[in-house]
Amino acid sequence: MKTRFLREIEVSPIGMGCMAFSHGYGKVPEESYALEAIQKAYEFGCTLFDTAEGYGSQQFFPGHNEQILGKAVKSFRRHIVLATKMHFKEGEYTQGADIYKLLRTHLEKSLTNLQTDMLDLYYLHRINTKMPLDEVAAAFGRLIQEGLIRGWGMSQVSGEQLIAADQVTPVSAVQNLYNILERDCEQDIFPYCIEHGIGVVPFSPIASGFLSGKISVDTKFENVDDVRVFVPQLTKENIVRNQPVLDILNRFAKEKNATPAQISLAWMLHKYSNVVPIPGSKNQERILENLGGWNVELIEKEFKELEQSLANCRIYGHRGHVENENTSMKDWKR
């Protein structure tokens, strides 16, 4: 396993998104199962673990997922990269308010939840368009100077927003939506990040499970807190329309003795040296399968053939990678 870098932060080639233990995919497993899953991922070799202060708000309380992750990694905290994300919510900021003070309040809560005295990577989950971005970036920079965080990141941003913030305080990582079905980042995010040594950390790299081949028109999503009901590619109509993509992945998976999900991850690992996907699942078997994607290597000939085959497929459904505090899942295009 070769490690990768989010600017100067060294991590495993694939990380673990921990959201599903608190939010996003319906009913969650018992806490003991979640703790064991995170620990098994570490034993497998994973060193990047991602959460957010908001994961858990729907079914439990803000910070629920952070607390699970903090408890799970306590014994090996210093051997991993711990990342979380924060929101400047609507109504929290008034013009002229001390942004650093607001940010510090969020950070202190996350540090308590995660049972740590510093964060390796602290993301702005979404931009609040009512706040001056340069002042926000400067506030994150102050946290770095104080040694409370090693680096900062941005999530669900455009290339223009990234450039503006990076010029104030160098950004370590961008956590945006990116997978075979959602490639907007190839236009405005990857070129700048490659040039400046910034890591790209795709969330939903398996397209909310579609690229695993385990979702069909008969799949029933859960009634409570299941984001998949909003995912554009997961309408019954688009599941059928996007089947040619799965046919291609299945063919390569058979040839490489891998799974479609692993081929999806191997594809982006081959394509970009600065990409570190963070697939998420609440199933231990799936978690280890996804991490095993770093053991599937595509030679250049295979990669080019895969790229060409995928290029011949029309993709149905599009969400896009730019969102802010004023948008919601209901705004996703179907």
Side-chain angles (χ1 to χ4, degrees):
M1 181 188 73
K2 295 181 180 179
T3 57
R4 295 190 170 208
F5 287 88
L6 310 177
R7 207 152 209 149
E8 297 178 352
I9 301 174
E10 189 173 9
V11 294
S12 52
I14 298 174
M16 179 180 177
C18 298
M19 180 186 78
F21 297 127
S22 302
H23 161 62
Y25 291 92
K27 184 179 179 181
V28 304
E30 293 293 328
E31 181 180 284
S32 58
Y33 182 90
L35 298 178
E36 184 180 63
I38 294 167
Q39 291 161 358
K40 284 184 176 180
Y42 171 70
E43 292 168 1
F44 192 87
C46 179
T47 61
L48 173 62
F49 294 86
D50 181 271
T51 182
E53 63 177 16
Y55 295 162
S57 300
Q58 291 77 4
Q59 297 187 54
F60 304 98
F61 52 85
H64 180 267
N65 199 247
E66 288 182 328
Q67 290 183 9
I68 287 176
L69 180 56
K71 186 181 295 186
V73 305
K74 186 175 181 180
S75 65
F76 49 86
R77 163 67 187 99
R78 297 304 173 187
H79 301 291
I80 63 168
V81 169
L82 206 51
T84 192
K85 304 180 285 293
M86 60 78 58
H87 288 272
F88 284 120
K89 296 185 179 297
E90 284 295 303
E92 183 176 0
Y93 171 80
T94 56
Q95 190 172 4
D98 188 335
I99 292 176
Y100 168 79
K101 185 176 180 180
L102 291 173
L103 180 60
R104 179 71 182 259
T105 299
H106 282 268
L107 175 61
E108 289 175 353
K109 290 179 181 177
S110 289
L111 291 176
T112 298
N113 287 334
L114 289 162
Q115 302 186 48
T116 187
D117 57 0
M118 60 83 66
L119 281 177
D120 298 287
L121 187 55
Y122 198 30
Y123 289 97
L124 177 64
H125 208 152
R126 293 191 186 95
I127 286 177
N128 186 323
T129 56
K130 296 179 181 179
M131 300 175 69
L133 183 56
D134 58 339
E135 294 182 26
V136 172
F140 275 94
R142 185 172 168 184
L143 294 179
I144 294 173
Q145 292 172 356
E146 293 172 343
L148 293 172
I149 64 175
R150 289 175 62 194
W152 83 292
M154 306 179 75
S155 183
Q156 298 176 276
V157 295
S158 68
E160 183 179 357
Q161 292 168 329
L162 168 61
I163 293 169
D166 185 57
Q167 290 176 346
V168 177
T169 300
V171 174
S172 295
V174 175
Q175 186 176 137
N176 273 10
L177 175 65
Y178 178 66
N179 56 56
I180 283 173
L181 305 183
E182 293 274 5
R183 299 206 200 181
D184 290 359
C185 284
E186 294 181 355
Q187 303 302 315
D188 67 337
I189 295 296
F190 276 105
Y192 183 84
C193 287
I194 289 172
E195 182 180 355
H196 293 85
I198 301 170
V200 178
V201 180
F203 69 85
S204 196
I206 313 297
S208 297
F210 176 79
L211 297 175
S212 72
K214 299 184 184 301
I215 291 178
S216 72
V217 293
D218 297 319
T219 300
K220 295 186 183 301
F221 302 127
E222 300 193 41
N223 294 325
V224 177
D225 191 23
D226 194 330
V227 300
R228 291 172 295 182
V229 301
F230 299 103
V231 174
Q233 294 89 7
L234 297 186
T235 63
K236 291 185 181 299
E237 182 180 39
N238 287 343
I239 288 173
V240 174
R241 287 175 165 179
N242 288 321
Q243 183 62 41
V245 173
L246 288 182
D247 293 340
I248 293 168
L249 293 178
N250 280 320
R251 174 164 60 86
F252 275 82
K254 185 176 181 180
E255 292 174 359
K256 300 292 291 184
N257 193 29
T259 67
Q262 290 174 336
I263 296 296
S264 301
L265 294 165
W267 165 81
M268 64 174 66
L269 290 174
H270 183 102
K271 190 166 189 175
Y272 295 110
S273 61
N274 67 328
V275 72
V276 181
I278 49 168
S281 175
K282 58 184 182 181
N283 181 292
Q284 290 186 10
E285 184 180 351
R286 294 285 82 73
I287 290 167
L288 298 182
E289 173 191 327
N290 290 335
L291 292 175
W294 68 48
N295 293 320
V296 180
E297 294 189 20
L298 299 172
I299 63 174
E300 188 62 21
K301 180 181 178 181
E302 293 169 332
F303 173 76
K304 288 181 178 179
E305 182 183 349
L306 177 56
E307 276 279 74
Q308 184 58 55
S309 297
L310 292 171
N312 292 329
C313 295
R314 178 179 174 181
I315 305 301
Y316 294 88
H318 178 253
R319 171 180 169 182
H321 68 283
V322 181
E323 297 181 27
N324 58 58
E325 289 293 345
N326 308 107
T327 58
S328 71
M329 290 182 285
K330 295 180 181 179
D331 298 312
W332 297 350
K333 298 177 182 178
R334 306 292 283 176

